Amino acid sequence: MKKSAMCQMPARIETEADLAAGQAVLIACDTRFASILAATGPLPLRRQPDGFGALLAAIVGQQISTAAAAAIWARMVAGGLTQQGAILAASDTDLRAAGLSRPKIAYARALAGADLDYASLRDMPTAAVVEQLTDLPGIGRWTAEIYACFALGHADVFAAGDLALQVAAARAFALPARPSEAVLRRMAQDWAPARAVAARALWAYYRIATKGEGIA
């Protein structure tokens, strides 16, 4: 990578300007992203406030489509079920009515009872965030990396276990098969320090390539 591009890479993606700077760095890392970004057009920022609600939303989104996750989250918002106290006070019937499965009800309650220090997560490196969050029931690496990407704004995190990213990578790079999480994670090493930008680009490309829904 060119030294000038490296110098322009923000540590966090907080604004549209940060995202634009990250795209330039990403193309310097891998010129194939120039055509991908030309196809996708402007990437969505998708930055959101951190805290309990953001992590709960990531749990809701586990292993379901973005449309299904959005519908469930809308019901939880309408039912006032996005705060720690509300989750702890809610009955199984309330949570099932919002659309949570039995395992996700347990994960939501475990998160609400964990009393995490969300402010301390803001200054941690990605690996430390992932390590701390994955100690909680129901939070795997994908969920922790999604939280680091969108709620904490980490610029160099990549949720390689995401199915849409795997499908997008296979199509964008003409791979013979969908890469496994391990293979895609190795591929993504070449996109550092802009892996969160690469993820946004591939999610956007997924929507175009499949004419379906991506995460971004």
Side-chain angles (χ1 to χ4, degrees), residues 3-216:
K3 184 177 180 181
S4 60
M6 176 72 84
C7 293
Q8 295 169 3
M9 186 65 209
R12 293 285 192 273
I13 298 176
E14 305 283 3
T15 66
E16 297 289 350
D18 293 336
L19 186 55
Q23 289 177 63
V25 173
L26 178 61
I27 292 171
C29 292
D30 188 337
T31 57
R32 295 177 297 177
F33 275 97
S35 60
I36 292 172
L37 291 167
T40 64
L43 299 179
L45 181 62
R46 285 292 303 277
R47 190 69 169 84
Q48 59 186 263
D50 65 330
F52 176 80
L55 193 49
L56 179 62
I59 290 174
V60 168
Q62 292 172 350
Q63 298 181 325
I64 59 176
S65 72
T66 54
I72 294 170
W73 188 249
R75 289 194 292 270
M76 293 183 71
V77 170
L81 297 172
T82 62
Q83 302 296 323
Q84 286 178 268
I87 293 296
L88 291 173
S91 67
D92 283 3
T93 300
D94 294 332
L95 297 173
R96 281 199 301 269
L100 292 186
S101 64
R102 187 179 300 278
K104 287 185 181 179
I105 289 173
Y107 302 156
R109 288 202 172 116
L111 177 63
D115 199 25
L116 277 176
D117 182 355
Y118 291 96
S120 71
L121 293 175
R122 294 171 186 163
D123 297 323
M124 290 183 183
T126 301
V129 171
V130 171
E131 181 178 4
Q132 180 158 339
L133 293 184
T134 53
D135 280 343
L136 298 175
I139 297 182
R141 187 167 184 175
W142 178 89
T143 304
E145 288 174 333
I146 291 295
Y147 183 82
C149 181
F150 295 123
L152 298 179
H154 287 203
D156 196 34
V157 59
F158 190 90
D162 188 90
L163 177 61
L165 289 182
Q166 294 170 6
V167 171
R171 298 197 179 196
F173 305 126
L175 303 179
R178 176 169 62 86
S180 66
E181 177 177 354
V183 169
L184 185 55
R185 200 170 293 282
R186 286 195 297 271
M187 289 175 61
Q189 290 175 359
D190 290 339
W191 308 328
R195 281 177 282 192
V197 182
R200 284 171 169 84
L202 289 173
W203 276 318
Y205 186 82
Y206 173 87
R207 290 197 303 177
I208 294 170
T210 63
K211 294 182 172 57
E213 291 189 1
I215 292 178

